[in-house]
Amino acid sequence: MFPFRYMLGEVEPVEWLVPVSVSVIAVAFVVLAVYAVLALRSVKQSLDQANRTLTEVGERIGDISRETMKLLDSTSRLTEDVNGKLKRVDGLFHSIEHVGEAVQQVTSSVKQVSASVSRTFTGSVDRGLQNSQPKIETAVQIASAAIELWRKISSLRNESKKEKGA
C-alpha cells in the first residue's frame, strides 16, 4: 500500500521505507527461525542416534569385558597346569639323559671289545692262511687236473657216439 501512495506522490519516500524494512526483517527472522528449528531437530535426531549407538557400544563392551576376563582366567589356569606338568616331566628328562649316557658308555665298550675280537680273529685267519697256503695250492692243482681229465673223457665219449652213429 505504501508503495502505491508513494507512486501517486502522496507519501514521502522515507515514510514507507521503514514499515517495508521492518516487514522484510520480520519475514527474514521467521524464515531464519524455521530453518533454525529444522536444523535443531536434525541435530537432536543425530544426537539421539549417537546416544543409542553409545549405549549399544557400552553394552557390547561390557559383554566383551566379561568374556575377556573369563578368557584371561582360563589362560592363567592353563598356564599353571602346563607349568606343573613341565616340572613333573623335568625329572623324566634327567633320567633319559642318564640312560643316554649309560647307553653311550655301553656302545663304546662294545666297540672296543669288537675291535679286539676282530684283530684277534684276523690275526688267526692270516696265520692259518699262511700255514695252509701250500696245501691250498696243491688242492687247486689237483682240481685243475681233474677238470681237464673230465673234459678229455667227455670229448672221447662224444667222438665214440658220433662214430657209432655214422
Side-chain angles (χ1 to χ4, degrees):
M1 223 194 241
F2 292 109
F4 296 117
R5 288 197 316 174
Y6 172 70
M7 289 186 214
L8 297 175
E10 295 176 9
V11 180
E12 292 270 333
V14 175
E15 288 180 24
W16 68 268
L17 187 61
V18 171
V20 169
S21 298
V22 170
S23 299
V24 169
I25 291 172
V27 169
F29 183 74
V30 168
V31 169
L32 181 65
V34 168
Y35 281 119
V37 167
L38 292 175
L40 288 175
R41 281 187 183 170
S42 176
V43 168
K44 184 182 182 301
Q45 288 175 351
S46 296
L47 288 175
D48 288 343
Q49 181 64 33
N51 192 21
R52 284 192 299 272
T53 303
L54 287 175
T55 302
E56 290 176 13
V57 167
E59 291 172 0
R60 288 184 183 166
I61 286 176
D63 292 342
I64 291 171
S65 295
R66 283 187 290 280
E67 291 297 320
T68 303
M69 292 304 290
K70 288 178 185 176
L71 180 63
L72 287 173
D73 185 48
S74 176
T75 304
S76 176
R77 280 186 272 127
L78 179 64
T79 302
E80 289 173 8
D81 184 42
V82 168
N83 284 336
K85 288 178 180 176
L86 283 175
K87 286 179 183 176
R88 281 185 258 151
V89 173
D90 195 32
L92 176 66
F93 283 120
H94 286 299
S95 297
I96 290 172
E97 181 181 359
H98 293 303
V99 168
E101 291 172 359
V103 167
Q104 187 177 10
Q105 289 175 355
V106 168
T107 302
S108 176
S109 297
V110 167
K111 283 182 182 178
Q112 290 173 355
V113 168
S114 174
S116 175
V117 167
S118 176
R119 282 192 302 269
T120 302
F121 182 71
T122 304
S124 297
V125 169
D126 285 344
R127 284 190 301 274
L129 282 176
Q130 288 173 355
N131 292 337
S132 303
Q133 191 167 4
K135 294 176 187 176
I136 292 172
E137 288 175 3
T138 304
V140 169
Q141 289 173 355
I142 291 172
S144 291
I147 291 172
E148 189 61 36
L149 181 64
W150 181 75
R151 282 186 192 162
K152 286 183 182 181
I153 292 171
S154 293
S155 122
L156 287 174
R157 280 186 192 165
N158 287 337
E159 286 179 16
S160 71
K161 285 183 185 179
K162 286 183 188 178
E163 288 176 5
K164 285 183 185 178

